[in-house]
Amino acid sequence: MKMHFCIPVSQQRPDALGGCYTLYSVYLDGFLFCRVRYSQLHRWNEQLRRVFGNCLPPFPPKYYLAMTTSMADERRDQLEQYLQNVTVDPNMLRSDVFVDFLKLVQLGTFSITTKKALLDIFLPDGRSVQVEILTSDTAERVLEVVSHKIGLCRELLGYFGLFLIRFCEEGKLSVMKKLVDFELPFVSLRSSEVEHCKVGLRKWYMDPSLDSMLMDCRAAVNLIYLQAIQDIQKEWAKPTPAQRQKLEALQKEDNQTKFLELSREVRHYGYTQLDPCTCDYPEPGCGAVLSVGNNEISCCVTLPDSQTQDVTFQMNRVKCWQVTFLGTLLDMDGPQRTLNQNLELRFQYSEDSRWQWFVIYTKQAFLLSSCLKKMISEKMVKLAAENPEMQIEVPEQGKSEKYRVQQNQKDYSSFLPRTSKIKIAEVDCVLGNINEEGL
């Protein structure tokens, strides 16, 4: 599945010969990832083409005369589409030529040199594990280092991920984004400029039943146990009074296995909860708290009369979604380096035998989109196990595995970096035809 790359802005910079060049600000999941020139991307494309041949997406052509404004906007859009499309192939994502270039531009953008460094990785109980890394180590590498230090089985790394997490007042926390495999955690943390932001280790799956895959590894069980306790304390998971009493007794006994078994019966166990946001359902301007997991989007909506209403959207009735950036970034050399202030995620949903668009305005729109993709990916794997007669390739964690499923379900999603009209997908069937287009 494609990644949330976008280029919302570009800048003109003077060069050494008295002319000027264009510097493109590339964002990943709403955060500034790097700034690059066309010539850098062009050379990178040539290197990729020598390794992977003609399977690469088309690259914007060179212009030998001065570009008009419309030509410059078209090139920016084409470069954005190129970055989105080039990330589809999992073999390319893991290649040295792909990763090495992105490491260099991340380091160069924020003027960070490659050197040894200490990085604190925070666990769900608030403790941190300090690891010695290189500033140029990718998230995939850092995850391997920290997992080795805590005794997490290597074959289970795909069930966990590194996240940028903001620790707020009164003990609250906000998951900002998941770091993708080729991101540099040291650089992303330094460049985020989000107050009280840290790198945290959390499980990365949306189907609570997948806990069963981890029960033979003591370190993995301990991690999901600590996260379950944290989620209950933060009220992300919502046990009944009777469940809470039993869970507290099991916690005192340190009976992790029984605690997790009971936790899986708790409402919203294993879900990711987003910060309070607004939505347009059942009417515009309603406040909402979203919890995402187990193939659903659960919304607690606050109505204008202060009454609350619980609304649940099932993923098998979602046809497509798209993230839209609603404004223009200013002062790109200053502290403003995220797209989080003006984002919406809208999804098309089947209700009462007709398709409707629902809109959520949240600074965590990219995280929400990643969660939706993850649920679809897990759904595909589950279908693969149930339908061995047909084949589909399901890329996950940058790796390519072959499965067989009855029908190909992928996400239809897109990112619109500037305000534009919404195009309705011409898709009529949910399970069989959730097509991947755009992102």
Side-chain angles (χ1 to χ4, degrees), residues 290-400:
L290 272 63
S291 297
V292 190
N294 202 20
N295 288 313
E296 67 179 26
I297 306 168
S298 178
C299 306
C300 180
V301 179
T302 302
L303 304 173
D305 61 2
S306 297
Q307 300 266 336
T308 60
Q309 177 180 341
D310 290 327
V311 183
T312 300
F313 301 96
Q314 299 296 330
M315 278 302 294
N316 62 359
R317 295 167 66 185
V318 173
K319 174 162 45 172
C320 57
W321 70 88
Q322 54 196 21
V323 177
T324 307
F325 175 48
L326 302 175
T328 302
L329 285 178
L330 301 175
D331 190 21
M332 289 303 299
D333 291 321
Q336 176 55 51
R337 284 179 172 170
T338 74
L339 299 178
N340 291 339
Q341 281 68 25
N342 298 289
L343 289 173
E344 71 169 31
L345 184 145
R346 63 175 61 214
F347 60 93
Q348 199 174 19
Y349 191 77
S350 175
E351 186 174 62
D352 298 328
S353 301
R354 62 192 180 95
W355 292 104
Q356 289 183 265
W357 284 98
F358 294 91
V359 184
I360 299 166
Y361 302 94
T362 170
K363 62 184 180 181
Q364 294 166 298
F366 289 106
L367 176 65
L368 175 55
S369 180
S370 295
C371 291
L372 301 185
K373 288 185 177 186
K374 188 69 173 175
M375 286 192 288
I376 286 180
S377 177
E378 290 172 0
K379 176 76 171 179
M380 292 164 68
V381 174
K382 185 170 286 189
L383 287 174
E386 296 170 355
N387 299 273
E389 71 278 5
M390 297 189 70
Q391 190 177 59
I392 181 174
E393 184 174 293
V394 181
E396 183 55 43
Q397 290 285 329
K399 300 173 184 175
S400 176

Side-chain angles (χ1 to χ4, degrees), residues 42 62 74 82 85 105 153 157 160 179 191 197 229 234 246 253 264 291 305 309 314 318 322 341 369 419 439:
H42 185 272
K62 283 186 177 181
E74 182 182 21
Y82 175 82
N85 292 326
V105 293
C153 300
L157 291 185
F160 295 89
L179 297 173
S191 63
C197 188
I229 292 174
K234 306 299 182 187
K246 292 179 182 179
E253 298 171 8
R264 285 193 284 275
S291 297
D305 61 2
Q309 177 180 341
Q314 299 296 330
V318 173
Q322 54 196 21
Q341 281 68 25
S369 180
T419 303
L439 278 178

Side-chain angles (χ1 to χ4, degrees), residues 145-154 156 217-220 223:
V145 173
V146 71
S147 66
H148 177 75
K149 190 162 186 177
I150 65 176
L152 179 62
C153 300
R154 186 180 180 89
L156 299 180
C217 175
R218 183 174 180 179
L223 281 173

Side-chain angles (χ1 to χ4, degrees), residues 78-198:
Q78 290 173 340
L79 288 172
E80 186 177 278
Q81 290 296 316
Y82 175 82
L83 288 173
Q84 292 170 5
N85 292 326
V86 81
T87 59
V88 172
D89 185 346
N91 295 317
M92 201 172 302
L93 282 175
R94 297 182 63 81
S95 68
D96 290 341
V97 67
F98 182 93
V99 174
D100 290 347
F101 173 77
L102 294 181
K103 286 167 64 172
L104 285 174
V105 293
Q106 286 178 80
L107 291 166
T109 296
F110 302 105
S111 302
I112 295 174
T113 57
T114 297
K115 60 182 179 181
K116 289 184 178 180
L118 296 176
L119 183 65
D120 289 322
I121 307 297
F122 284 80
L123 304 180
D125 63 351
R127 293 181 297 117
S128 64
V129 177
Q130 190 174 79
V131 292
E132 183 177 325
I133 62 165
L134 294 176
T135 56
S136 58
D137 279 342
T138 63
E140 183 178 39
R141 173 59 182 162
V142 174
L143 181 59
E144 291 174 350
V145 173
V146 71
S147 66
H148 177 75
K149 190 162 186 177
I150 65 176
L152 179 62
C153 300
R154 186 180 180 89
E155 59 269 21
L156 299 180
L157 291 185
Y159 293 97
F160 295 89
L162 297 178
F163 295 79
L164 285 184
I165 301 174
R166 181 165 59 91
F167 290 80
C168 314
E169 297 178 356
E170 301 176 355
K172 295 182 179 179
L173 61 85
S174 173
V175 179
M176 306 301 295
K177 66 168 292 186
K178 180 187 180 293
L179 297 173
V180 301
D181 284 352
F182 55 78
E183 272 189 273
L184 311 183
F186 183 90
V187 176
S188 295
L189 182 62
R190 289 291 185 90
S191 63
S192 69
E193 296 192 350
V194 175
E195 193 174 7
H196 306 305
C197 188
K198 300 174 182 177

Side-chain angles (χ1 to χ4, degrees), residues 208 211 215 224-225 228-229 232 237-251 253 255-270:
D211 280 1
M215 301 310 291
I224 62 176
Y225 171 70
I229 292 174
I232 292 171
K238 301 170 176 62
T240 64
Q243 288 174 329
R244 186 181 296 274
Q245 187 176 11
K246 292 179 182 179
L247 288 168
E248 288 173 351
L250 291 170
Q251 185 178 348
E253 298 171 8
N255 192 331
Q256 297 184 351
T257 302
K258 292 292 185 182
F259 185 96
L260 290 169
E261 286 177 2
L262 180 56
S263 294
R264 285 193 284 275
E265 301 174 11
V266 171
R267 181 170 178 253
H268 292 172
Y269 167 73

Side-chain angles (χ1 to χ4, degrees), residues 2-3 81 84-85 412-415 436-439:
K2 300 178 185 179
M3 295 186 178
Q81 290 296 316
Q84 292 170 5
N85 292 326
Y412 173 92
S413 60
S414 62
F415 174 69
E436 184 176 34
E437 180 174 327
L439 278 178

